[in-house]
């Protein structure tokens, strides 16, 4: 078990990366504390898997360092890092039994059979694999195979970290939930640092204490699910997390405060942006937009029923603004006025949050 | 009406296939079956002989000898070509420009017709003028495939390995290429040695293509005719007279259609049974 730190970590799959787009990872500095449950969340191609493979040692980064408990492990091969990794598609050794699969990492490290037995039994009990311990691994279901992959990681005592690369992709929906709670349970019991890569926000939010949101090779925000929801540090986080995503509206700074289409907007902690930005935007989640007697005039376009609430599409000029209306509340048609909750309205310069909220 | 709806007209749609199969497989095979139970003295006059030819063939020393040679030959080339092919496939590059170079080089021997291969090796191995034969003799080996049975066997086997190992290589390579990267990554994390990767990942994942490779090489080598016929003509003496060479001698040399028919059917059954047995045993684990 250890703390994992990434220092100015950069990686490119090309030999001579030139432009910004050649870098799969653009200078990351992250610290993962010992025993935490983290999720790496981002769309496909944002560099999540690259980062995971660098942590496990399958990839050596182009530059920068990775440290376990302040010891530089950048050049150390995966088998010496004491890391477990569970892949998107279950990896089992087909010709071996479940027992042999679990024992394999220990046998490779020269552990005696007498010590392996009890350890395999313990892990099998933890993962509910006891009943199939002497079956061929090849014939098992995808979720059992994924448990074996996980078990091969857990079998080594005191793994530094367990890495998951979208492990539930091939699992049936009703088993996803079961397996996810199993992971939480194991995290509590084993106490290892766990890093879970996914592009599914629900998976990330339910699994992790801290979610690391990645976008185009950079980390845009690290925070608890609540922080990501309430104070997205980047408009990308606002779009990517939450359904529907955050409203992002063009903003100008007239008369000392932020304005949208000539209407002053109250945004808590909004400061005058430093000069030199190209684009200024207001971000407010549909949850924090409501109808009112006065405020921004909009045309109501469409009302979608989403179960416990309804999503209302409105329009001011060319700008679409969505808001959520609780079940049972009537929605007017035609013209209306809306207002934003000042405590949950942020100002973004070139995509990044500004003002005291950024601190 | 709730019963099954039957429409016998569907048979007409199957007819072209039935006719095709009949003309290219069933009817020729039935002629052989026909011959194998009868005796002919020419003029298309046949006499029923029952199982006489079968009994004769099964008790004949000549058939036993050529069948024995055939089994030894096939066993040797399988024992060489399968491991050798797998070894080459394992040591080939998996990505980069060299993959295509290797694949093309590997495919070249497969593109050469059997009789050309025989003729090439016939000249290549000649002790007085051939590159191989001359070199071997210059190195001090007493090598003459036209006179010595051992040399002839050596040449026939070498020729087959040269011609057909590529097939095993290409099939194995296809099997290897389909192994997802995650298996190698997991093995690295599990601390597996490179031998363990071959033993527990690559060979098991290649199992299906290796079964195919084994069956193809078994069938082809068991029926081998052209290459040894062009190279040695079955000699010296009868040293390289394999089953099909012997069969042609009986059928077209001596024109003994009855015994030839019986040999053909026994030959056919041996191949069919061996393939079935091997396939059933090999796939036993997969069936669960």
């Amino acid at each position: 078990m250890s703390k994992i730190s990434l220092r100015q970590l950069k990686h490119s799959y090309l030999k001579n990366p030139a432009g910004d787009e050649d870098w799969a990872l653009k200078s990351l500095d992250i610290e993962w504390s010992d025993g935490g449950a983290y999720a790496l969340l981002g769309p496909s191609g944002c560099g999540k898997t690259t980062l995971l493979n660098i942590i496990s040692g399958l990839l050596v980064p182009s530059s920068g360092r990775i440290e376990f408990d302040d010891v530089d492990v950048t050049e150390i091969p995966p088998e010496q890092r004491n890391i477990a990794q569970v892949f998107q598609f279950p990896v089992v050794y087909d010709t071996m039994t479940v027992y042999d699969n679990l024992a394999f990492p220990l046998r490779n490290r020269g552990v005696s059979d007498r010590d392996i037995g009890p350890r395999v039994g313990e892990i099998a009990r933890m993962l509910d694999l006891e009943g199939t311990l002497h079956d061929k691994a090849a014939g098992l279901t995808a979720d059992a195979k994924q448990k074996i992959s996980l078990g091969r990681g857990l079998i080594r005592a005191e793994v530094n970290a367990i890495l998951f690369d979208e492990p539930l992709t091939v699992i049936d929906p009703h088993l996803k939930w079961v397996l996810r709670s199993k992971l939480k349970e194991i995290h509590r019991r084993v106490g290892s640092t766990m890093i879970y890569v996914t592009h599914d926000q629900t998976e990330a939010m339910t699994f992790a204490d801290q979610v690391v949101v990645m976008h185009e090779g950079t980390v845009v925000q690290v925070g608890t699910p609540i922080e990501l929801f309430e104070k997205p540090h980047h408009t990308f986080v606002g779009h990517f997390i939450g359904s529907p995503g955050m409203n992002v509206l063009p903003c100008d700074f007239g008369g000392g405060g932020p304005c949208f289409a000539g209407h002053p907007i109250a945004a808590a902690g909004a400061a005058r942006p430093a000069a030199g930005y190209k684009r200024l935007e207001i971000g407010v989640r549909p949850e924090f937009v409501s109808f009112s007697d006065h405020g921004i005039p909009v045309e109501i376009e469409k009302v979608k029923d989403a179960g416990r609430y309804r999503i209302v599409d409105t329009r001011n000029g060319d700008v679409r603004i969505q808001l959520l209306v609780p079940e049972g509340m009537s929605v007017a048609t035609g013209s209306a006025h809306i207002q934003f909750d000042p405590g949950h309205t942020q100002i973004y310069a070139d995509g990044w949050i500004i003002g005291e909220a950024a601190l | 009406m709730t019963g099954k709806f039957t429409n016998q007209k569907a048979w007409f749609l199957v007819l072209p296939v039935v006719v095709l199969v009949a003309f290219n497989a069933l009817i020729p095979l039935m002629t052989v079956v026909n011959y194998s139970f009868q005796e002919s003295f020419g003029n298309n006059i046949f006499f029923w002989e029952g199982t006489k030819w079968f009994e004769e063939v099964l008790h004949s020393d000549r058939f036993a000898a050529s069948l024995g040679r055939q089994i030894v030959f096939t066993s040797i080339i399988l024992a060489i070509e399968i491991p050798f092919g797998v070894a080459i496939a394992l040591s080939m590059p998996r990505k980069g420009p060299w993959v295509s170079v290797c694949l093309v080089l590997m495919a070249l021997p497969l593109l050469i017709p059997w009789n050309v291969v025989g003729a090439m090796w016939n000249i290549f191995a000649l002790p007085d003028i051939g590159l191989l034969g001359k070199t071997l003799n210059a190195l001090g080996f007493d090598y003459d495939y036209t006179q010595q049975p051992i040399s002839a066997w050596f040449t026939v086997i070498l020729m087959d390995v040269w011609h057909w190992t590529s097939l095993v290589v290409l099939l194995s390579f296809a099997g290897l290429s389909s192994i997802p990267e995650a298996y190698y990554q997991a093995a690295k994390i599990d601390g597996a040695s490179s031998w363990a990767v071959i033993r527990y990942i690559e060979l098991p994942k290649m199992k299906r293509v290796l079964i195919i490779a084994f069956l193809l090489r078994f069938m082809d080598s068991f029926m081998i005719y052209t290459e040894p016929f062009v190279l040695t003509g079955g000699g010296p003496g009868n040293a390289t007279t394999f089953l099909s060479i012997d069969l042609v001698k009986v059928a077209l040399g001596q024109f003994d259609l009855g015994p030839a028919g019986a040999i053909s059917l026994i030959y056919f059954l041996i191949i069919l049974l061996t393939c079935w047995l091997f396939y059933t045993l090999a796939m036993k684990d997969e069936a669960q």
Side-chain angles (χ1 to χ4, degrees), chain A residues 61-142:
Chain A
S62 309
S63 72
R65 276 173 302 135
I66 162 161
E67 295 170 359
F68 289 178
D69 277 339
D70 303 316
V71 178
D72 190 342
V73 295
T74 317
E75 306 281 339
I76 291 181
E79 65 272 18
Q80 289 168 27
R81 289 196 187 186
N82 207 10
I83 281 269
Q85 188 165 356
V86 179
F87 297 90
Q88 192 167 5
F89 297 98
V91 175
V92 295
Y93 302 106
D94 292 339
T95 51
M96 298 187 199
T97 60
V98 174
Y99 181 97
D100 291 333
N101 259 281
L102 293 175
F104 189 59
L106 296 182
R107 288 187 178 143
N108 287 332
R109 286 169 174 81
V111 179
S112 76
D113 277 342
R114 213 184 39 216
D115 297 334
I116 289 176
R119 185 74 189 143
V120 169
E122 190 187 330
I123 297 300
R125 225 173 1 260
M126 199 190 287
L127 295 170
D128 307 322
L129 285 171
E130 286 165 298
T132 52
L133 215 44
H134 296 286
D135 293 351
K136 273 268 171 68
L140 298 177
T141 56

Side-chain angles (χ1 to χ4, degrees), chain A residues 22-65:
Chain A
D22 287 351
W23 292 94
L25 292 178
K26 301 164 192 159
S27 199
L28 299 184
D29 280 277
I30 312 177
E31 196 134 301
W32 275 301
S33 60
D34 183 14
Y38 296 93
L40 267 176
L41 178 66
S44 300
C46 73
K48 320 181 285 273
T49 300
T50 306
L51 180 54
L52 208 64
N53 287 345
I54 287 175
I55 297 173
S56 60
L58 294 169
L59 268 180
V60 175
S62 309
S63 72
R65 276 173 302 135

Side-chain angles (χ1 to χ4, degrees), chain A residues 52-358:
Chain A
L52 208 64
N53 287 345
I54 287 175
I55 297 173
S56 60
L58 294 169
L59 268 180
V60 175
S62 309
S63 72
R65 276 173 302 135
I66 162 161
E67 295 170 359
F68 289 178
D69 277 339
D70 303 316
V71 178
D72 190 342
V73 295
T74 317
E75 306 281 339
I76 291 181
E79 65 272 18
Q80 289 168 27
R81 289 196 187 186
N82 207 10
I83 281 269
Q85 188 165 356
V86 179
F87 297 90
Q88 192 167 5
F89 297 98
V91 175
V92 295
Y93 302 106
D94 292 339
T95 51
M96 298 187 199
T97 60
V98 174
Y99 181 97
D100 291 333
N101 259 281
L102 293 175
F104 189 59
L106 296 182
R107 288 187 178 143
N108 287 332
R109 286 169 174 81
V111 179
S112 76
D113 277 342
R114 213 184 39 216
D115 297 334
I116 289 176
R119 185 74 189 143
V120 169
E122 190 187 330
I123 297 300
R125 225 173 1 260
M126 199 190 287
L127 295 170
D128 307 322
L129 285 171
E130 286 165 298
T132 52
L133 215 44
H134 296 286
D135 293 351
K136 273 268 171 68
L140 298 177
T141 56
D143 60 303
K145 286 184 182 176
Q146 216 42 324
K147 281 190 196 168
I148 296 172
S149 306
L150 174 60
R152 281 204 318 269
L154 294 172
I155 197 94
R156 285 174 276 142
E158 306 263 301
V159 272
N160 283 322
I162 305 174
L163 313 178
F164 299 92
D165 191 357
E166 308 193 19
L168 301 183
T169 309
V170 292
I171 309 297
D172 285 345
H174 68 284
L175 286 171
K176 276 189 187 183
W177 193 84
V178 178
L179 216 52
R180 211 152 53 198
S181 355
K182 194 85 213 169
L183 292 183
K184 284 294 270 185
E185 182 196 322
I186 285 166
H187 181 246
R188 273 195 303 275
R189 278 171 70 166
V190 180
S192 302
T193 312
M194 288 193 174
I195 302 173
Y196 189 107
V197 160
T198 178
H199 57 239
D200 180 336
Q201 48 169 314
T202 322
E203 249 173 52
M205 302 291 186
T206 49
F207 175 80
D209 311 326
Q210 290 266 305
V211 179
V212 178
V213 186
M214 290 189 68
H215 178 51
E216 291 178 348
T218 48
V219 169
V220 284
Q221 189 170 1
V222 182
T224 62
I226 305 246
E227 284 166 352
L228 297 180
F229 182 76
E230 293 194 336
K231 285 266 181 288
H233 282 194
H234 192 278
T235 49
F236 172 78
V237 180
H239 283 303
F240 196 69
I241 288 166
S243 174
M246 186 170 73
N247 293 302
V248 178
L249 318 169
C251 172
D252 53 71
F253 235 79
C259 289
F260 165 66
H263 301 273
I265 300 294
R272 170 167 285 279
Y277 58 85
K278 290 199 209 68
R279 181 163 45 92
L280 206 59
E281 285 153 326
I282 295 168
V284 57
R285 290 201 176 272
E287 286 83 352
F288 304 119
V289 182
S290 55
F291 286 114
S292 71
D293 300 335
H294 52 276
I296 303 158
V298 290
E299 296 296 319
I300 295 172
E301 288 204 318
K302 198 162 65 182
V303 182
K304 287 174 280 191
D305 203 325
R308 279 179 299 158
Y309 52 83
R310 277 175 291 168
I311 305 165
V312 184
D313 280 7
T314 66
R315 193 171 286 280
N316 174 295
D318 290 335
V319 183
R320 195 181 69 157
I321 306 169
Q322 288 187 310
L323 61 147
L324 298 189
V325 171
E327 208 177 13
M329 202 179 112
S330 65
V331 176
T333 50
S335 302
H337 291 276
I338 55 171
Q339 63 179 16
F340 303 156
D341 173 358
H344 291 105
T345 304
Q346 291 83 236
I347 309 294
Y348 296 90
D350 295 336
W352 295 94
I353 196 166
I354 56 168
E356 74 176 38

Side-chain angles (χ1 to χ4, degrees), chain B residues 59 80 91 93-94 106 126 128 148 156 160 185 191 196 211 214 216 237 245 262 271 280:
Chain B
H59 290 105
I80 296 175
S91 49
R94 304 279 163 80
M106 281 298 143
L126 278 177
D128 44 357
Q148 305 149 340
V156 172
D160 199 83
Q185 297 180 329
I211 289 173
F214 186 93
L216 284 176
I245 295 180
I271 295 180
T280 316

